[in-house]
Amino acid sequence: EFTPTLYYKHIQSRKRITTTGDNENTNKNNITRISFELHDPKTIPLHNVFNLYVKCPLGKVTLGKRKIPTGEFRSGKLPPSLVRVVANDRDRNGNDDGGISRSGSGSGGDIAHRNGRVLDFTVTITTSLKILLIGDSVMVQLGQAFDEMIMSNGQYATTEDPIHREIVWEAWRGHNGGTVVSPTRGGGVSAMWRMTGLLSRRKKGKPPANSAGGGWSDKEIDSFLGYSTPKQRQQQQNNSTVASSTATTIGKFDVVVFRVMHGWMKIHEITRDGLLEAIELAHELLGATTVVLMTIPFTNNVKTPQVLKQVNDINDEMRDIARRWHRRGEDGENGEGNEHSKHSGDSGVQRVLVLEYGTYYNHIVWSNGLHLGYNVTPPLRATRTTFDDEAPGFVFDRLKDAGEWAPSIPMVCSDKALLGADRKKCNRNYLFSDGMHTCPESLASRYAAGLACLIGCVYNGRSGNDDDPERESKLRACERECNEQFLSVVPVEESWVDTNTTLASFSR
């Protein structure tokens, strides 16, 4: 039986019984459609094997295809506050260097007394659901790592694995356009679609990625929905201890995850109407009944405080859409019901969730900034208002003469040894490869755990319980817990790591 974890009611755990994941577990009406486990990177490393291009190689930093040395170096060493923390010891020493010392305002209790791991863990995921990630090169990075975590061979892949993962089409030579892992551990599907804009009817037939504008075609839709799992994979899955997928073709997805592509899309092009249309098309074109929206983070595409304010406004729109979604079609306050009727009505999408990806970047950047000596608030003491107030005097401290997309120093630098007065170069950290892309080996595991947790809020639990009058409030509480625990620098409990402990979230 799953039981609530120490700090959270909706994030629950149990000791794993089988060797490869007992995900599709039913105890009478109690269903677990997606779960995950945490590991020490030395036990199960994230090899980042499917990511061939946007990487964070250790050693001398080079530039361009000719690999011209820049004089910078990447050691791979993380700030101590982003590895493991012992909060009480740090508080006694008066040194927060990342600051795990705020009384939690959410459901997770007192964050000040948490000990555990921050980035020093990896994840394996088990699911019977069909999940599609849609986005730009950053989402491709995250999707490639997610695929490695969800492979059905019981551990991370060590090489490109044609038995389970297929590049359905290339965006251009050597670069993933559409990929499918089928079956996953648990018998589901993990797919990724590279796109440079939100799904939109008027973008149909326009040039696809990596062209600007977010073009798509029926051919791409058909390539996903008509995808059939080869017999070789079905046989391998049937011979494993994991239950087989119930269908040989994808047919439709359960969940679509949108990374909102600021950069490819100008900030004025990202609107509430556009978000609503994309949600609607996730069901109309792809069959999804759940949509996850990723908030927009600060990156080198955010060039001014004014643009950052617009980004924050769009993120608030995403949260508001998700919060009001269950009332779509009703005559709610401020005419919200009429707006949703215009765009969706009975759209087929039943739930919209928000993954706080922007907050995650803030927590990482603020932690690294403290490590570099910036005078900013430790992220777990900070509120959204704190981040908004401190950002203009902090994140826009960029490397000089670094081109049009100059990265933020607290985002990409590991120390200030090379900065000097000209501030043109620095040794690079193992968090971000540039001013936008991540180092997946460090940041992808928390993202994947958070996503699996959010999806579980919808699909795990007692069947036939959707008429619960408290269903919506329980779902939002579960959503808050997942974001607080994983899309942040809140430590995960040491007792979860490499102890055959299965984690899953429940809101019903």
Side-chain angles (χ1 to χ4, degrees), residues 427-440:
N427 291 321
R428 298 305 180 102
N429 62 34
Y430 204 41
L431 301 168
F432 296 96
S433 65
D434 51 33
M436 179 174 67
H437 297 93
T438 69
C439 297

Side-chain angles (χ1 to χ4, degrees), residues 199-202 273-282 343:
L199 270 179
S200 169
R201 293 178 181 86
R202 65 188 180 87
D273 283 353
L275 291 166
L276 291 168
E277 182 183 17
I279 294 169
E280 177 182 297
L281 290 175
H343 288 278

Side-chain angles (χ1 to χ4, degrees), residues 142-295:
L142 295 171
Q144 289 163 336
F146 190 79
D147 284 349
E148 196 173 323
M149 300 175 203
I150 207 166
M151 300 287 280
S152 66
N153 60 358
Q155 60 182 4
Y156 285 111
T158 55
T159 59
E160 182 77 25
D161 185 357
I163 300 300
H164 292 89
R165 184 179 187 269
E166 184 171 343
I167 300 171
V168 183
W169 73 87
E170 292 187 327
W172 68 101
R173 186 174 180 180
H175 293 262
N176 295 173
T179 62
V180 172
V181 172
S182 176
T184 65
R185 182 190 300 104
V189 171
S190 173
M192 184 280 300
W193 186 359
R194 185 193 290 260
M195 188 178 291
T196 58
L198 289 168
L199 270 179
S200 169
R201 293 178 181 86
R202 65 188 180 87
K203 297 296 184 180
K204 182 177 180 180
K206 302 295 184 182
N210 224 25
S211 298
W216 60 274
S217 68
D218 287 335
K219 180 181 179 181
E220 293 162 314
I221 300 287
D222 294 342
S223 294
F224 278 129
L225 301 189
Y227 182 87
S228 295
T229 304
K231 292 181 179 180
Q232 182 182 5
R233 298 187 208 168
Q234 297 178 46
Q235 182 64 38
Q236 184 176 27
Q237 185 77 353
N238 290 336
N239 288 340
S240 74
T241 58
V242 183
S244 298
S245 177
T246 57
T248 57
T249 59
I250 292 177
K252 63 180 180 179
F253 289 95
D254 299 297
V255 182
V256 166
V257 184
F258 285 111
R259 169 171 148 79
V260 181
M261 308 83 165
H262 177 237
W264 283 107
M265 299 179 72
K266 304 299 184 185
I267 192 62
H268 69 271
E269 297 174 329
I270 306 170
T271 65
R272 189 182 185 96
D273 283 353
L275 291 166
L276 291 168
E277 182 183 17
I279 294 169
E280 177 182 297
L281 290 175
H283 176 78
E284 181 180 317
L285 300 176
L286 298 161
T289 55
T290 297
V291 168
V292 179
L293 300 175
M294 294 168 56
T295 55

Side-chain angles (χ1 to χ4, degrees), residues 340-383:
H340 275 301
S341 294
K342 170 186 174 183
H343 288 278
S344 57
D346 185 13
S347 73
V349 172
Q350 301 302 308
R351 304 291 177 188
V352 177
L353 300 173
V354 173
L355 186 146
E356 295 287 353
Y357 195 62
T359 300
Y360 184 34
Y361 270 37
N362 284 349
H363 278 232
I364 298 299
V365 173
W366 261 250
S367 295
N368 194 57
L370 284 163
H371 176 69
L372 295 176
Y374 286 89
N375 183 23
V376 290
T377 303
L380 291 179
R381 290 180 182 171
T383 63

Side-chain angles (χ1 to χ4, degrees), residues 12 25 46 62 68 106 138-139 143 154 172 188 225 251 262 270 273 296 307 340 343 350 356 369 384 399 426 428 498:
Q12 301 188 12
N25 173 71
L46 175 59
T62 59
I68 301 171
V138 173
M139 184 59 113
W172 68 101
L225 301 189
H262 177 237
I270 306 170
D273 283 353
I296 304 169
V307 173
H340 275 301
H343 288 278
Q350 301 302 308
E356 295 287 353
R384 284 184 194 154
L399 291 175
C426 67
R428 298 305 180 102
D498 274 347

